[in-house]
Amino acid sequence: MEKQPMYEGKAKRVYKTDVDGELLVYFKDDATAFNGEKKGTIESKGVLNNKISTFFFNLLSEHGIPHHFISMPSPREMLVKSLEILPVEVVVRNIAAGSLAKRIGWEEGTKLPQTVLEMYYKNDDLGDPLINNYHIKMMGLATEEQVKIMEEYALKINEVLTNYLKTKKLELIDFKLEFGVHKGEVLLGDEISPDTCRFWDSETGEKMDKDRFRRDLGNVEEAYKEVLYRLTGEKA
Ligand code: TMP
């Protein structure tokens, strides 16, 4: 019998498990962009993102960042701690790209003089608008303490990932994180993958992430595969 997902998102399905406090996440090949306006599939994306995320969660464990990842029971499945998601998306930026480049009129690829943190209200109906800490407090999306923890973790994650990726000849341009609460503790959730990060090849500047899909640049699957290969040596 097909198991019924308890939640289905754009790229993942979430199932209950027999264990209290643990959920099973299934990674789909579906890809969307521009708040679901553009739809497609990227062959094997689910497998690639699951494996890439697993790699990053394990790397973050070594640096003491608490997260929801427990294990990868199969190539498309991730076992995680259940989270009450804080409806805030945290974006960290090192180099101007995407919506920031557009908003402030800086050319894509301009190195930011300092790291920038942005908060977005996780709300599909509103198209995930940019908000600030006053909005978060005013709407009660997270407590001040939780915001402080998310900011601290986001900056630390940026440091860990940036340094690691450089050794694999990848530049971490920007990325998006989601957090949630498990047994009173704030944990990193969701995924860390070419869907949620921008990676550029250090030498050629070639885009190795979902922008290849968003902007119809071609070789989307190849780019995701190359990221997995550089991180783990696994040829998908
Ligand atoms: P942006 O430049 O479009 O605001 O994206 C910033 C980063 O956040 C980029 O690495 C892609 C990621 N991102 C998501 O993971 N989900 C989203 O819905 C959006 C808009 C961006």
Side-chain angles (χ1 to χ4, degrees), residues 91 93 97-99 120 128 174-176 195-198 214:
V91 168
R93 300 181 185 270
S99 69
Y120 292 83
D128 299 342
D174 54 36
F175 58 99
K176 185 263 296 178
D195 270 17
T196 61
C197 305
R198 285 193 174 95
R214 294 189 189 99

Side-chain angles (χ1 to χ4, degrees), residues 56-57 59-61 63-67 90 92 94 115 117 149-165 172 175-179 187-189 191-192 197:
F56 282 130
F57 282 125
L59 178 67
L60 291 176
S61 293
H63 293 270
I65 304 284
H67 53 68
V90 182
V92 184
N94 299 306
T115 301
L117 270 189
I149 294 171
M150 289 193 284
E151 289 177 342
E152 188 193 306
Y153 287 172
L155 293 174
K156 176 76 183 165
I157 292 164
N158 185 43
E159 202 182 294
V160 171
L161 297 189
T162 297
N163 291 337
Y164 187 83
L165 286 160
L172 182 59
F175 58 99
K176 185 263 296 178
L177 301 170
E178 293 184 27
F179 294 88
L187 304 181
L188 174 67
E191 63 180 282
I192 306 176
C197 305

Side-chain angles (χ1 to χ4, degrees), residues 34-102:
F34 314 117
N35 202 25
E37 270 173 52
K38 182 182 171 104
K39 289 191 175 70
T41 49
I42 302 170
E43 207 195 310
S44 307
K45 176 171 83 81
V47 172
L48 295 162
N49 280 356
N50 191 24
K51 290 183 175 177
I52 293 167
S53 295
T54 292
F55 176 84
F56 282 130
F57 282 125
N58 284 326
L59 178 67
L60 291 176
S61 293
E62 291 171 24
H63 293 270
I65 304 284
H67 53 68
H68 71 160
F69 175 83
I70 300 171
S71 66
M72 185 176 69
S74 86
R76 277 187 191 275
E77 290 172 322
M78 183 185 283
L79 191 66
V80 299
K81 295 178 185 172
S82 63
L83 295 182
E84 218 163 292
I85 287 285
L86 298 166
V88 173
E89 299 191 352
V90 182
V91 168
V92 184
R93 300 181 185 270
N94 299 306
I95 291 177
S99 69
L100 177 71
K102 206 167 159 190

